[in-house]
Amino acid sequence: MAVRMILKDNDITLSKQSRAVTEFNTRLHTLLDDMRETLIEANGLGLAAPQVGVLRRAVLIVDLSIEAETVEKQIIELINPEIIKTSGEQSGNEGCLSVPGVYGIVTRPETVKIRAFNRFGKAFYYTGKEMTARAICHEIDHLNGVIFTSIAERLLTEEELLQLAAGNQQDTGDEE
Ligand code: CO
């Protein structure tokens, strides 16, 4: 496994459409393993293959509703994901590993049901709520060349970013 470089939003690759995965082979497994390592190292909630320069429909999301000791066990691999049903609406902060330091308000469905394939080509259904629904939509957008900043109602201001950072600092302080 290897940590891959995460492309930034000035890279044209991120605005391109990704193609479906057709072969569930060791090459795909290496890509997914590398993406897992990259996601964990970057401390993110999701990662799409185009973010590491591969224009294939494969994404990882971290489902925080899964009770596990490690993030590793909360990672869900979604190959060729298709949204089949959405319900409700949520509006909130969103960020992206390809757009460091930028956050924006994005409206997403509250619940998203998808059909996807696992790394061995087996189809399954998955339902994500709240943060997980947001992550699924965000990552599928990447497969279609869409970055959240282009669909955000607005980006957070300098002051709001400082408040966000202060909040995170507070959290860290509480844990120590
Ligand atoms: Co992103």
Side-chain angles (χ1 to χ4, degrees):
M1 293 214 290
V3 171
R4 299 201 187 187
M5 198 184 75
I6 297 176
L7 302 182
K8 298 298 181 282
D9 66 338
N10 59 359
D11 196 303
I12 192 153
T13 304
L14 289 180
S15 62
K16 291 182 176 168
Q17 193 80 15
S18 290
R19 288 172 295 156
V21 170
T22 51
E23 294 188 62
F24 296 82
N25 53 17
T26 53
R27 196 164 172 196
L28 173 69
H29 296 178
T30 301
L31 169 66
L32 292 169
D33 290 343
D34 287 357
M35 284 173 63
R36 294 179 81 96
E37 202 170 319
T38 306
L39 176 60
I40 290 167
E41 207 211 49
N43 202 20
L45 285 177
L47 186 69
Q51 289 181 281
V52 293
V54 178
L55 287 169
R56 287 290 182 176
R57 302 188 80 82
V59 309
L60 305 182
I61 54 147
V62 176
D63 187 341
L64 294 172
S65 70
I66 297 172
E67 279 192 42
E69 323 78 85
T70 62
V71 172
E72 179 81 48
K73 290 177 181 160
Q74 294 175 314
I75 294 177
I76 312 289
E77 299 175 353
L78 305 172
I79 317 299
N80 300 339
E82 300 275 356
I83 293 175
I84 54 173
K85 196 180 167 193
T86 66
S87 64
E89 202 176 86
Q90 58 172 322
S91 190
N93 274 344
E94 202 161 311
C96 178
L97 293 175
S98 292
V99 199
V102 176
Y103 292 86
I105 307 291
V106 184
T107 301
R108 301 286 193 186
E110 181 67 16
T111 305
V112 174
K113 184 179 181 185
I114 58 166
R115 180 176 184 266
F117 295 83
N118 70 9
R119 60 164 65 200
F120 304 105
K122 188 177 188 298
F124 66 99
Y125 292 94
Y126 199 79
T127 300
K129 292 180 174 143
E130 298 163 4
M131 279 297 290
T132 309
R134 177 175 294 282
I136 289 170
C137 294
H138 178 109
E139 300 312 326
I140 290 178
D141 276 353
H142 274 302
L143 302 182
N144 298 322
V146 175
I147 296 180
F148 84 97
T149 46
S150 71
I151 56 164
E153 282 154 44
R154 64 177 186 84
L155 300 181
L156 296 197
T157 62
E158 202 81 15
E159 196 178 7
E160 287 171 317
L161 285 175
L162 285 172
Q163 280 170 2
L164 197 68
N168 291 341
Q169 208 93 54
Q170 195 68 50
D171 289 346
T172 313
D174 289 345
E175 279 164 19
E176 281 169 1

